[in-house]
C-alpha cells in the first residue's frame, strides 16, 4: 500500500485509489510530535476517515518530531505505530 505524508491541515486534491494519507498533526505530547491523521482513498478515490495514529521511532528523545519520507510503502523496523482509538483499527480494516 502506498502512503503519502501531507503537512498539517492539508487535504489531498486528487488521491489515488488505494492510497493511505498521513496528515501531520502538530499536537505536542510532552515534547513529542508523533501524531498523524490517517485517511484512506477507496477504490473510487473517495476519502475515508480512519482516525489518529501515532508513529514513533525507537530511541526518540524529547523534544522530537517523527520524520517520515514524503511517500513510502513500508517503514523499517525502527518505527512503531499506535492507533489512538479502538475505531481506528476497525475503520482501517473496513476499507481494505
Amino acid at each position: 500500500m502506498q502512503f503519502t505524508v501531507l503537512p498539517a491541515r492539508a487535504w489531498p486534491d486528487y488521491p489515488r485509489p488505494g492510497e493511505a494519507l498521513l496528515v501531520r498533526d502538530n499536537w505536542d505530547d510532552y515534547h513529542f510530535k508523533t501524531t498523524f491523521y490517517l485517511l484512506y482513498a477507496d477504490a473510487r478515490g473517495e476519502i475515508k476517515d480512519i482516525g489518529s495514529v501515532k508513529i514513533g521511532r525507537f530511541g526518540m528523545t524529547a523534544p522530537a518530531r517523527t520524520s517520515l519520507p514524503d511517500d513510502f510503502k513500508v517503514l523499517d523496523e525502527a518505527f512503531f505505530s499506535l492507533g489512538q482509538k479502538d475505531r481506528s483499527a476497525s475503520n482501517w480494516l473496513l476499507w481494505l
Side-chain angles (χ1 to χ4, degrees):
M1 176 175 298
Q2 181 67 41
F3 288 84
T4 300
V5 180
L6 300 173
R9 294 186 217 102
W11 190 259
D13 292 326
Y14 302 102
R16 295 172 292 217
E19 180 179 29
L21 304 145
L22 291 165
V23 181
R24 292 189 177 279
D25 188 320
N26 286 323
W27 174 254
D28 190 326
D29 193 5
Y30 298 97
H31 307 291
F32 289 92
K33 293 184 178 182
T34 59
T35 305
F36 295 81
Y37 202 78
L38 179 60
L39 303 168
Y40 176 71
D42 68 13
R44 294 182 307 252
E46 293 180 19
I47 300 293
K48 304 299 179 186
D49 172 4
I50 305 302
S52 292
V53 62
K54 290 188 180 188
I55 302 174
R57 190 175 185 106
F58 290 105
M60 291 175 76
T61 57
R65 175 187 294 272
T66 303
S67 178
L68 296 176
D70 291 339
D71 295 288
F72 62 91
K73 288 191 178 190
V74 183
L75 293 173
D76 66 38
E77 53 277 342
F79 291 91
F80 61 90
S81 63
L82 176 66
Q84 295 303 287
K85 294 186 179 180
D86 289 342
R87 74 179 192 94
S88 295
S90 61
N91 283 352
W92 182 243
L93 293 173
L94 181 65
W95 301 113
L96 290 178

